[in-house]
Amino acid sequence: MSNEAPASNFIRHIIESDLASGKRSEVVTRFPPEPNGYLHIGHVKAININFGLAQDFQGNCNLRMDDTNPEKEEDEYVQAIQDDVKWLGFAWQGQTRFASDYFQQLYDYAEELIRAGKAFVCELTPEQMREYRGDFVKPGKDSPYRNRSVEENLDLFRRMKAGEFPDGSRTLRLKIDMGSPNLNLRDPVIYRIKRAHHHRTGDDWCIYPMYDYTHCISDALEGITHSLCSLEFEDHRPLYDWVLDNITIPAHPQQIEFSRLELLYTITSKRKLMQLVREGLVGGWDDPRMTTVSGMRRRGYSPEGLRLFANRVGVSKSENVVDFSVLEGAVREALEEASPRIMAVLDPLKVTLTNYEEGRTGSRSAPFHPHHPEFGEREVPIGPTLWIERDDFAEVPPKGWQRLTPGGEVRLRYSYVIKCDEVVKDADGKVIELKCSIDPDTLGQNPVGRKVKGVIHWLSQAHAVPAEVRLYDRLFTVPRPDAVRGDDGEYLDFKQFLNPDSLTTVTAYVEPVARELPAEARYQFERLGYFVTDRHDHRPGERLVFNRTVTLKDSWAKEQA
């Protein structure tokens, strides 16, 4: 795998400047996902930035769940997020933190804002609030409840907390500026009434803080120095700063925004990923076609490959649109040096060796990796009947063909040169068997007086082990499945672009050494690609299940050309 050093970027420059000037004495970052779904490839970039920068500057990174929306959050997602971050190779400072850890402090700061005349209880309906808010052209106008007294606001807010009012009937809003060109500063809501069971606090609260209010205070309470987030929060930064400037909290983190990742041929909307799962269009959050972290893990992507990808896509404020081939290339590069090799046949064609002699026709051992002798070797047994890949034979070969043809020769990988002497077909004209002869003088050496260029993989039928092999491809057929407009200008349903060929399952054969492989064993099938034993379905010695992680080359680009 490449040992590429992290590239310099504008966030790194800011941190270096802050440390050099004495503005900051340490670096503390955080990764704050909402536990309402599984992490995906976009989160990998954010994780790599937050944890990676903390590591590089000998600092710390907190893992904090943004659990302020109890209707959508579950402990299953909390556990999955923790597992994914650990699997990616990162560790957070202390225990996992939760925004709900700070519910009482958040409430106390809200009362402080009310006492300072900077927050008020509003009774506008959501529809009225949108009307009063205005838009980018029309300024907002003050709520009729904006000038309530401090005493009345405190009383109402405490009664909201006590559960005296119906859901949605009242909110607590900041008193900032209804004429601001930044709509986020037009008296934003910071609390709403919502009777929903919380996965950690149960029914203790019936009012919940909003994200913009919660996030900045949580950062400050944890001593975060650099609050790194995606670019859609750039317009929220003035509100982040306003809240911290108007309460008595000692720390003031710096929010810095970077562009989010858009990976072509996939989606990163948790809502749409949830839709695929709930409608049964995929096998779950960890379906290997999903670019969730758990899905990519099950497909065989390695943590090293995903971190390499995240480093390569970089950190900037400019649009970060990346082709799927870049992800596959990083995964492939990481697996190249780390994966042992074995042979497998996915579409078997029978070969009978007519001059095979038991006891005289020899086998050889073969290394598991050509550049890593420490990986060891295994015996590659031969027998009178072989399996070869069907597409390694052509009756009428194209120009430049270097595999098997009638009357032609080819070398069996780690074994003899064989010659195709006869082609056997069924009643429909389909080739069902090749009868071939071995050149007995070519085990471990070249034939005398002629060149044989082609080398193919193969298996002895008597020794081969059957396996279920799942051939995965891209889940979508278009680069931006959730951004395609119809003739009427409206967005089309992204699900209509699902790739019907994203999964093909075949019964294949593998070397006998594969029989006892544990789950999540990553191997290269020579000439075919990288494969992994399935995390859940594979059972050593009983049921062999391999998932194709990635091909050896970018075959998709060739198909699309």
Side-chain angles (χ1 to χ4, degrees), residues 16-63:
E16 289 170 345
S17 176
D18 287 350
L19 293 172
S21 68
K23 178 181 177 181
R24 305 286 184 188
S25 60
E26 62 177 344
V27 174
V28 184
T29 61
R30 83 292 168 268
F31 174 59
E34 183 179 0
N36 63 347
Y38 282 58
L39 300 182
H40 54 64
I41 188 64
H43 293 112
V44 173
K45 175 180 176 179
I47 290 167
N48 200 63
I49 292 171
N50 279 288
F51 283 92
L53 285 169
Q55 284 182 357
D56 291 347
F57 289 97
Q58 293 77 53
N60 289 301
C61 183
N62 294 346
L63 176 62

Side-chain angles (χ1 to χ4, degrees), residues 191-417:
Y191 268 91
R192 78 281 200 200
I193 304 172
K194 184 188 289 283
R195 285 172 176 79
H197 187 81
H198 191 278
H199 72 110
R200 295 187 73 242
T201 61
D203 298 317
D204 291 348
W205 294 86
C206 65
I207 57 171
Y208 289 97
M210 303 297 287
Y211 175 83
D212 281 337
Y213 174 73
T214 304
H215 187 68
C216 58
I217 295 176
S218 300
D219 280 353
L221 290 171
E222 293 178 9
I224 302 303
T225 57
H226 301 85
S227 182
L228 312 177
C229 55
S230 51
L231 206 56
E232 69 256 38
F233 291 102
E234 186 173 35
D235 289 340
H236 296 246
R237 189 184 344 132
L239 177 54
Y240 183 103
D241 292 332
W242 189 96
V243 171
L244 296 181
D245 287 341
N246 284 277
I247 58 176
T248 54
I249 197 164
H252 192 133
Q254 179 181 0
Q255 178 175 306
I256 306 170
E257 308 85 19
F258 57 88
S259 59
R260 65 185 303 168
L261 172 67
E262 181 184 355
L263 184 66
L264 299 182
Y265 292 97
T266 187
I267 55 173
T268 53
S269 160
K270 273 200 247 182
R271 179 179 61 81
K272 291 172 181 173
L273 292 171
M274 176 81 77
Q275 200 175 343
L276 293 175
V277 172
R278 288 185 171 170
E279 294 181 17
L281 299 170
V282 293
W285 284 100
D286 67 347
D287 188 304
R289 293 167 294 180
M290 296 269 274
T291 47
T292 55
V293 174
S294 56
M296 293 186 290
R297 174 181 180 175
R298 191 172 177 187
R299 185 159 172 170
Y301 291 10
S302 67
E304 296 79 8
L306 290 175
R307 294 199 302 268
L308 178 61
F309 168 73
N311 286 334
R312 285 184 175 171
V313 300
V315 182
S316 70
K317 283 186 176 287
S318 58
E319 191 177 40
N320 197 196
V321 180
V322 180
D323 192 75
F324 202 85
S325 62
V326 178
L327 171 60
E328 291 181 318
V331 168
R332 193 179 286 119
E333 183 172 328
L335 292 174
E336 164 64 27
E337 288 299 309
S339 301
R341 273 83 159 139
I342 59 174
M343 293 189 290
V345 176
L346 303 187
D347 186 10
L349 174 62
K350 181 180 178 182
V351 170
T352 299
L353 300 177
T354 56
N355 61 339
Y356 177 88
E357 294 184 53
E358 190 69 44
R360 294 192 63 185
T361 303
S363 299
R364 291 179 62 197
S365 65
F368 277 113
H369 197 290
H371 305 132
H372 291 285
E374 69 275 14
F375 284 12
E377 296 193 353
R378 83 282 190 194
E379 188 72 16
V380 182
I382 194 169
T385 307
L386 311 179
W387 294 124
I388 69 168
E389 211 70 60
R390 182 169 293 277
D391 63 9
D392 276 338
F393 172 77
E395 282 191 277
V396 183
K399 185 178 180 181
W401 183 260
Q402 292 186 1
R403 288 171 274 176
L404 205 53
T405 62
E409 289 186 305
V410 74
R411 177 175 290 281
L412 300 175
R413 181 80 162 138
Y414 310 119
S415 192
Y416 296 92
V417 170

